[in-house]
Amino acid sequence: MASSNKPEKPIHILFVGAGAVGCFYASRLHHVGTEHPLLSLKPRSNYKAIADAGNVQLQTHSFGNYAFAPYAVFPNIDAAVPSASSSSPTAAAAATPPSEGWDYIIVTTKALPDRTDDTATIAPLVSAKSCLVLIQNGVGVEEPYRKRFPHNPIVSAVTVISAEQIRHGVIRQNRWTRISLGPYGHGLSTTTPSSDDQVTRLSDERMRSLAQWWTELGGIRDVESHTELELQTIRWHKLCINAAFNPTAVLSGGRGNADQLTDAELRIHVLGIMNEIRDAAPLVLGAPFPDTLASPEKIVKSTERNTGGRPSMLLDWEAGRPMEIEVILGNPVRIARARGVEMPRLQSLYALLGSMQRMREERGKGKL
Ligand SMILES: NC(=O)c1ccc[n+]([C@@H]2O[C@H](COP(=O)([O-])OP(=O)(O)OC[C@H]3O[C@@H](n4cnc5c(N)ncnc54)[C@H](OP(=O)(O)O)[C@@H]3O)[C@@H](O)[C@H]2O)c1
């Protein structure tokens, strides 16, 4: 294990959102001993289960089964706010936030900007030294964080993993571990030269530490560090999968990804969405899509082999939970439109799915 990046003081990392992705990636940063990052969790509905057990159970395809005992578990945001009076936490007084502030705040909630402003939720936790890390699907997720926290380093992360919380405090990772990281400066739309700006450089530095810990402490073999443009390109590329299969799963009456491809018209529709994103992304990003990223045909081929998978948006719809419509459909449509590019296939999905969700909620309130 390399020691080149060993900090002198303990590094305190807080995960806000202790679901499938949060618990898996927290557990792969966790090592007992003060020289390593100390991992704390801010769960929500699963708080009691995790706090009572004192750990999260992981059932993983990649690392076997194990228990991850977080350094501290907080019942609410207020309890996790660092204050001058809080003593330096020890394992015995585990629910005390670090008096010097959080080094990293990693947001692994579902990205639902139409429901909650997570930037406001975490605001009391953020100090000048805090690096914000967003491990969430979709595009445009970083913008509200940059607006509220103009000087904090931000790391944007895209993960290719299949994981779920099978019951409170028990996480199953079915396959894949890949996490792609990139600094987030001021967004690619501004005139500030991103790679040459202080907040971008700081974000890049913090990203490299995180990548090293996940690789060396966590044993994740496919942790990737990127430039801001590369990471945004990866976000738009991942959209080819999420914006094609997820909404279609709901609108087609509950069909999984591979199943959608057995229907001739749905197959044309899925490929049409992927090609629309591939055509729009270079105009949005100002750079071509690299050939190294899988083509729509390749994505379709590998999806066909992965039978039985049901996308998270379908699971959310069936459970009556809000879906990540804004970051997967609304943001790309708006971001592209602001650059004079229309995405009619995505726009149709956005309009229909958004309306379905609103109508169901109205019915639930007895208004219809
Ligand atoms: N799971 C995957 O395989 C996968 C793969 C790639 C990308 N992603 C993306 O990763 C992100 C996280 O997904 P996930 O699957 O980990 O979702 P998840 O299992 O539903 O976990 C999200 C967690 O965040 C909690 N939460 C929401 N708002 C919160 C708040 N204000 N304070 C504290 N906790 C809060 C939720 O609590 P409640 O239970 O109380 O709602 C839940 O425990 C999403 O953007 C998703 O699209 C997931």
Side-chain angles (χ1 to χ4, degrees):
M1 195 171 296
S3 57
S4 56
N5 199 28
K6 194 190 265 187
E8 284 168 14
K9 284 186 180 175
I11 295 288
H12 283 279
I13 302 181
L14 177 67
F15 275 72
V16 176
V21 165
C23 287
F24 177 77
Y25 285 105
S27 77
R28 301 317 304 169
L29 280 176
H30 180 70
H31 268 249
V32 178
T34 50
E35 74 271 34
H36 295 302
L38 297 176
L39 272 300
S40 299
L41 300 178
K42 158 58 186 88
R44 196 163 64 174
S45 56
N46 53 358
Y47 169 75
K48 194 174 173 334
I50 297 176
D52 286 356
N55 62 44
V56 178
Q57 294 295 321
L58 277 295
Q59 303 173 1
T60 77
H61 168 77
S62 308
F63 303 100
N65 296 350
Y66 58 95
F68 152 54
Y71 186 67
V73 185
F74 298 100
N76 51 56
I77 291 288
D78 285 351
V81 175
S83 77
S85 60
S86 45
S87 56
S88 208
T90 63
T96 315
S99 56
E100 290 171 21
W102 295 103
D103 296 285
Y104 289 83
I105 298 167
I106 303 190
V107 180
T108 48
T109 56
K110 285 266 168 73
L112 300 167
D114 48 332
R115 302 306 161 113
T116 51
D117 178 0
D118 284 348
T119 70
T121 305
I122 67 160
L125 306 172
V126 178
S127 65
K129 75 169 182 174
S130 305
C131 174
L132 311 177
V133 184
L134 309 172
I135 315 181
Q136 293 175 314
N137 270 331
V139 298
V141 292
E142 309 92 343
E143 181 68 14
Y145 289 86
R146 176 51 72 223
K147 267 202 183 119
R148 190 180 282 265
F149 308 107
H151 306 298
N152 285 83
I154 295 180
V155 175
S156 182
V158 175
T159 169
V160 176
I161 187 173
S162 162
E164 57 198 307
Q165 181 170 222
I166 53 178
R167 56 180 185 276
H168 280 169
V170 183
I171 308 297
R172 183 163 63 206
Q173 176 246 6
N174 301 308
R175 59 176 82 85
W176 306 310
T177 55
R178 191 195 310 156
I179 184 157
S180 307
L181 307 170
Y184 188 83
H186 299 280
L188 297 170
S189 57
T190 65
T191 49
T192 315
S194 275
S195 58
D196 194 28
D197 148 84
Q198 203 194 340
V199 84
T200 310
R201 262 182 279 130
L202 205 54
S203 305
D204 189 80
E205 239 173 76
R206 303 294 287 273
M207 168 190 77
R208 287 182 193 284
S209 301
L210 208 47
Q212 185 177 349
W213 295 326
W214 263 318
T215 305
E216 295 177 357
L217 302 177
I220 297 181
R221 281 185 295 187
D222 44 5
V223 182
E224 298 174 351
S225 299
H226 291 279
T227 64
E228 183 164 0
L229 173 62
E230 286 167 355
L231 199 276
Q232 290 306 316
T233 305
I234 290 169
R235 276 202 176 277
W236 279 82
H237 183 256
K238 176 116 194 257
L239 212 55
C240 290
I241 300 168
N242 291 141
F245 292 115
N246 281 16
T248 305
V250 180
L251 292 167
S252 64
R255 301 181 75 162
N257 296 5
D259 187 29
Q260 290 170 32
L261 297 168
T262 63
D263 179 299
E265 289 299 329
L266 283 180
R267 191 182 180 98
I268 294 170
H269 153 83
V270 160
L271 276 162
I273 292 165
M274 292 185 190
N275 282 316
E276 182 171 279
I277 294 167
R278 270 189 95 89
D279 290 344
L283 302 171
V284 169
L285 299 166
F289 243 42
D291 292 338
T292 46
L293 294 175
S295 66
E297 290 70 25
K298 234 179 164 170
I299 295 173
V300 160
K301 267 220 157 87
S302 73
T303 304
E304 280 175 325
R305 291 194 297 269
N306 184 16
T307 52
R310 303 182 88 231
S312 62
M313 196 175 268
L314 177 59
L315 301 179
D316 286 338
W317 170 255
E318 287 177 347
R321 295 187 295 257
M323 300 175 281
E324 290 181 302
I325 296 176
E326 293 302 329
V327 295
I328 289 176
L329 297 171
N331 281 353
V333 166
R334 282 185 287 269
I335 291 169
R337 190 176 284 156
R339 286 157 183 72
V341 181
E342 286 300 323
M343 302 185 79
R345 286 181 183 268
L346 252 72
Q347 193 279 336
S348 299
L349 292 176
Y350 179 46
L352 290 169
L353 210 55
S355 178
M356 258 174 86
Q357 181 165 273
R358 283 190 296 280
M359 294 299 279
R360 179 158 85 175
E361 285 170 358
E362 293 295 308
R363 269 196 299 275
K365 286 184 210 153
K367 287 194 185 164
L368 292 177

